[in-house]
Amino acid sequence: VYQLNTQSVLYNITLPDPVNDATWDAQGELWIAQFAGKRRAEEYNGQTATGIGSQTINAGISAFEILNDDRILLASYDKKIYVNDENGDSLFALTEPTSIISKMIELENGEIVAGTTTGMIYHYNTTTWDVQTLQLPNGKQVTLLEEGGDEDQLYVGTKQGELYDISLTNYSINDSF
């Protein structure tokens, strides 16, 4: 873990399996996700594992996100999104996706957006878990999800180089580039 302000190494954690993603939870603990190998996410305090981790996802992990309320989301190659509590205990799985989730983000309002390898966008309310879907016209893998300048705007990039400007209010494509 590299500290950009001081330009120095903050933590040096060596693991036997590749690290695919890492993020901080609301308490400032580092979570490391290993998509293959361990196929789970684990919490670290400094350079030491705390012993808290998610369930092992047998099919492997394709995307990882920690919500502001510390729930852990692990998307899998089995086309499900597993929702865990802050201790890594399994709560439930979202089964709406029909293809592999390639990217997930939490929006400023606490909702989740997930994009798939076939260009489908899933927009979840994280209180009710109601979902809206939108199929991108090019049907290509989602590689970028970025909230726009206002809370109604989402930018979605795809593997074939298209960028979509999506309205989250009426869930439609405003423009593509």
Side-chain angles (χ1 to χ4, degrees):
V1 177
Y2 190 75
Q3 171 60 267
L4 292 176
N5 292 339
T6 62
Q7 296 186 1
S8 62
V9 174
L10 186 60
Y11 304 124
N12 185 3
I13 301 169
T14 303
L15 300 168
D17 295 308
V19 173
N20 299 93
D21 203 349
T23 193
W24 304 95
D25 66 16
Q27 285 73 44
E29 306 292 355
L30 178 66
W31 281 78
I32 294 177
Q34 295 175 295
F35 291 8
K38 282 192 170 184
R39 301 178 318 276
R40 61 179 283 172
E42 294 180 324
E43 181 187 61
Y44 283 77
N45 183 338
Q47 295 180 176
T48 307
T50 65
I52 297 173
S54 72
Q55 69 201 61
T56 298
I57 307 296
N58 290 330
I61 300 169
S62 61
F64 166 66
E65 187 71 27
I66 293 184
L67 305 183
N68 288 330
D69 65 6
D70 281 340
R71 286 180 289 179
I72 304 159
L73 274 61
L74 299 164
S76 174
Y77 289 104
D78 64 8
K79 304 174 188 170
K80 296 177 185 172
I81 301 172
Y82 294 90
V83 181
N84 297 264
D85 68 14
E86 66 277 359
N87 296 315
D89 296 325
S90 177
L91 296 174
F92 54 88
L94 302 170
T95 59
E96 293 83 6
T98 57
S99 57
I100 297 166
I101 300 294
S102 56
K103 194 77 174 167
M104 281 191 300
I105 64 164
E106 180 180 21
L107 302 176
E108 289 292 321
N109 64 8
E111 295 176 346
I112 290 294
V113 176
T116 72
T117 55
T118 59
M120 181 68 84
I121 304 297
Y122 294 87
H123 179 196
Y124 288 96
N125 175 313
T126 55
T127 302
T128 63
W129 294 102
D130 289 339
V131 64
Q132 294 177 290
T133 60
L134 177 68
Q135 176 65 56
L136 299 177
N138 74 358
K140 301 299 181 184
Q141 179 177 340
V142 173
T143 57
L144 170 77
L145 293 170
E146 187 71 37
E147 199 162 7
D150 59 49
E151 67 180 49
D152 174 50
Q153 195 171 34
L154 177 72
Y155 293 111
V156 179
T158 64
K159 197 166 191 165
Q160 298 301 318
E162 271 196 87
L163 179 68
Y164 294 93
D165 175 1
I166 295 174
S167 165
L168 293 172
T169 301
N170 60 17
Y171 222 59
S172 62
I173 297 171
N174 292 329
D175 206 352
S176 65
F177 310 93

